[in-house]
Amino acid sequence: MSTTVDFMLETLDSADVPASTTWTTGNVAEAFPGVFSAFGISFVFGPMEMAFRRMFHDLGAYPASEVRVPDDVGDCFWSLFAGWGAGNIDKFREVANVLPGTSATAIELQLFGYVRPDTVDANTAARYPAIVAKAPRWVIGVPKRHDRMFAELRRWRLSQLPRISSLDEAGCLAVLADARTRFEDIMSIHMGVAFISSALADKVAEAASAAGMEGLEQHLLSGVGSDENEVAYDLWALAHGKISEQEFIDRHGYHGPNEGQLYGITWRENMAPIRSRLADYRAIDSDNPRAPQHRSAAQRQLRDDALARLLAVTPRLRKRPTAWIVSVAARFLALREQGKAGYLITYDVARAAARRLGDILVERGVIDDREHVFHLRYDALVAGISGDPRDVVAERIDQFNRRQAIRIPRAWAGYPSVMKVDENSGDALGIGDVVTGVAASAGQVEGRARVVRDPAGTELDDGDILVCETTDPSWVSLFMVAGGVVTDFGGLLSHGPIVAREIGIPCVCGTETGSRKIQDGQTLRVDGDTGEVTVIG
């Protein structure tokens, strides 16, 4: 027996899965950090699963018969374990094995920052005819389609938010349904971009290695431009009075702490986290090399210089294809970050409609607090709440709070070992101890460790080392102050490393236990070239 999707949506857990099926928190923990609520997972699970399958069908890797949500979580691309999201490694490897130009190992490493020691690639050409017929057109057309969809999402958000406060229950549900459809649409493109960018990054790394310049891909994949660059520019502009708070909110208000969960509170709803950082930006004048615009320019120059070095030793007939691969990889990496911003836009409208619906349910006496709407299933809200849900809500809130204090591993088979956050308290690193991860953004730096759980309530001094489980775009204000970044989760193409490369600070990701073993206040040496983090004081 295996867990059904409906049972998972009810319990927020996959109690019975095949012991051989392998899972990872990987990039799932980055996209959807923290514990899911009943509303959050029931709202997003189906569209997310369909987005994966639509994307693989569009690329020719899947036949039309696979564009459906399976009944069994073991057949899905992702699921929940004790409230925490995880990706099905076997499903991603299954698809990677039919895609030309990549491998299951490459996908596993690039997307999740982890490759199991017994990994064996099993590439097959069975789907190549369909892929050759469909994928090139998709790849060529997706950048412009992606740009158009993102621009439309921005317009849609600004048109929807002002009217939500006056909607009735039916109006809220209509906005939620619209947001859910748009989420699936942007994610179906975004996941394709993620896969293509992974394959392209792998080719860039191969070119660097063939030239005897292993590690150069970190520079070749920097300075690509991203939504986070725009956030940093506008944070600086806001601090210097060049734009208003409302302009900033209109452009970036969909970001904020826990933005990857619908119950999160965005900057649109609370600007306090931004206001607390403005002094840091105000201290950076327009001529300072640390100003966002200068950092971005420096990283673009770094990428250009790295490409010149690579091409100087590349055989003549390979120069043009190599330059093209690097250029296209940069474009797709920028799209990758844009796609994340796109689905966060749909989330921001959905959470506004959900909170308005919560107010309506409080007025009707159905729930006691508007935030309790996030502990009701989306499909139950669509069907109409009957009876008194208070006991169910109270039970789910209690379960939700208990699950906040646990973690699950980076990768495992079957059901994971669940661990309390403080279980590793006795494993603190001492002077000379080293934690290793993925070398994700080049350079070496020494500084004071600041172990951060909540970016909204953290003060960083210039040059501090940001140590955390994972990051999302709402952390960009801390990146601009930090001297380096160390994360538990992620790979070369995860959010934290991409942003670190964009602003030119060292980053080691995928340490798995760094944020639990490194102690706040310790002095660290972060080596973004070797992937080592050493406690030196």
Side-chain angles (χ1 to χ4, degrees):
M1 180 180 178
S2 186
T3 302
T4 65
V5 168
D6 187 66
F7 185 80
M8 181 273 292
L9 295 177
E10 183 62 27
T11 62
L12 283 70
D13 196 16
S14 301
D16 296 299
V17 291
S20 60
T21 305
T22 52
W23 303 84
T24 179
T25 51
N27 277 11
V28 178
E30 180 182 301
F32 307 112
V35 179
F36 271 91
S37 67
F39 179 87
I41 189 60
S42 56
F43 180 87
V44 78
F45 182 81
M48 186 72 181
E49 183 68 22
M50 285 295 292
F52 283 124
R53 292 167 178 273
R54 283 175 55 187
M55 176 266 293
F56 290 132
H57 175 62
D58 289 343
L59 290 174
Y62 258 8
S65 60
E66 289 291 337
V67 186
R68 58 181 177 80
V69 178
D71 295 327
D72 191 322
V73 298
D75 294 328
C76 295
F77 281 93
W78 72 306
S79 190
L80 294 193
F81 293 85
W84 294 80
N88 186 334
I89 296 178
D90 293 344
K91 293 298 292 184
F92 284 101
R93 289 175 56 85
E94 171 189 297
V95 174
N97 280 329
V98 306
L99 292 175
T102 189
S103 67
T105 294
I107 291 294
E108 201 168 308
L109 179 62
Q110 295 283 10
L111 288 183
F112 305 124
Y114 178 87
V115 179
R116 291 165 293 159
D118 58 348
T119 291
V120 176
D121 292 327
N123 291 69
T124 173
R127 294 294 303 174
Y128 281 13
I131 293 170
V132 169
K134 300 179 71 172
R137 181 180 298 178
W138 188 94
V139 173
I140 291 170
V142 77
K144 288 185 177 179
R145 286 197 298 121
H146 204 291
D147 287 344
R148 287 196 300 269
M149 184 175 290
F150 184 66
E152 170 55 28
L153 284 173
R154 282 189 177 277
R155 288 191 292 269
W156 169 74
R157 173 178 174 268
L158 293 179
S159 70
Q160 293 298 308
L161 288 175
R163 56 186 289 268
I164 287 176
S165 62
S166 61
L167 293 178
D168 59 12
E169 185 172 350
C172 290
L173 291 172
V175 171
L176 284 167
D178 186 18
R180 200 167 185 245
T181 298
R182 292 174 186 268
F183 172 87
E184 181 180 322
D185 289 342
I186 186 64
M187 286 303 294
S188 71
I189 297 181
H190 173 59
M191 293 311 302
V193 166
F195 256 74
I196 298 300
S197 62
S198 177
L200 290 169
D202 195 40
K203 293 301 179 186
V204 171
E206 287 178 8
S209 180
M213 298 179 176
E214 290 189 13
L216 189 68
E217 63 271 15
Q218 293 186 31
H219 298 308
L220 294 168
L221 299 176
S222 66
V224 303
S226 69
D227 178 69
E228 280 77 13
N229 289 78
E230 298 300 324
V231 175
Y233 298 158
D234 285 347
L235 276 168
W236 186 90
L238 177 62
H240 288 266
K242 296 182 179 296
I243 62 172
S244 67
E245 277 198 358
Q246 189 58 54
E247 287 176 302
F248 183 86
I249 290 170
D250 286 347
R251 296 178 189 177
H252 311 293
Y254 49 86
H255 289 309
N258 292 316
E259 61 188 25
Q261 293 290 352
L262 283 166
Y263 56 76
I265 297 175
T266 61
W267 295 337
R268 169 181 58 80
E269 298 166 292
N270 180 17
M271 275 287 285
I274 291 300
R275 294 184 186 120
S276 70
R277 301 250 65 92
L278 292 182
D280 296 327
Y281 284 81
R282 202 171 292 120
I284 303 173
D285 61 39
S286 59
D287 296 327
N288 192 314
R290 295 177 58 245
Q293 58 271 31
H294 297 312
R295 286 191 176 205
S296 294
Q299 291 306 106
R300 288 193 297 272
Q301 187 61 54
L302 183 67
R303 178 164 63 90
D304 291 344
D305 292 345
L307 179 58
R309 288 172 55 200
L310 177 62
L311 294 180
V313 297
T314 299
R316 183 174 60 84
L317 294 179
R318 295 296 307 163
K319 289 183 186 292
R320 183 171 295 180
T322 299
W324 180 82
I325 284 289
V326 172
S327 175
V328 176
R331 175 69 164 122
F332 270 78
L333 281 180
L335 287 176
R336 185 185 175 107
E337 295 307 294
Q338 185 187 76
K340 290 179 182 178
Y343 77 72
L344 291 172
I345 287 173
T346 69
Y347 257 40
D348 196 34
V349 174
R351 69 167 50 90
R355 286 198 163 101
R356 169 57 183 160
L357 183 56
D359 287 335
I360 293 171
L361 294 179
V362 169
E363 292 171 7
R364 283 176 42 197
V366 176
I367 55 178
D368 296 327
D369 187 299
R370 75 170 185 168
E371 295 299 302
H372 292 177
V373 72
F374 294 111
H375 298 283
L376 296 171
R377 281 179 58 162
Y378 171 70
D379 49 342
L381 289 165
V382 171
I385 299 295
S386 59
D388 189 341
R390 286 179 175 82
D391 288 345
V392 171
V393 166
E395 182 180 341
R396 287 175 178 167
I397 290 174
D398 179 64
Q399 181 186 68
F400 175 84
N401 290 334
R402 283 186 282 108
R403 286 173 169 171
Q404 297 276 22
I406 65 173
R407 297 295 184 271
I408 56 179
R410 180 171 59 179
W412 69 91
Y415 194 86
S417 298
V418 175
M419 179 182 64
K420 291 184 178 179
V421 173
D422 61 358
E423 281 185 0
N424 274 351
S425 58
D427 295 333
L429 299 179
I431 294 177
D433 287 339
V434 177
V435 63
T436 60
V438 177
S441 182
Q444 297 82 37
V445 67
E446 295 179 2
R448 180 184 63 166
R450 292 306 309 272
V451 181
V452 178
R453 308 295 178 195
D454 178 8
T458 298
E459 289 296 328
L460 253 66
D461 290 336
D462 189 28
D464 282 347
I465 307 300
L466 173 61
V467 181
C468 56
E469 289 186 309
T470 187
T471 68
D472 59 44
S474 71
W475 291 66
V476 70
S477 59
L478 296 182
F479 273 71
M480 298 303 296
V481 179
V485 179
V486 179
T487 69
D488 292 354
F489 301 112
L492 187 65
L493 300 188
S494 295
H495 171 267
I498 289 176
V499 177
R501 290 194 297 272
E502 287 300 291
I503 61 177
I505 60 175
C507 175
V508 175
C509 66
T511 63
E512 190 166 8
T513 59
S515 73
R516 295 196 296 274
K517 293 185 175 181
I518 294 170
Q519 302 301 294
D520 192 73
Q522 288 183 318
T523 303
L524 305 179
R525 179 186 298 118
V526 178
D527 192 327
D529 296 310
T530 65
E532 293 186 343
V533 181
T534 306
V535 178
I536 60 174

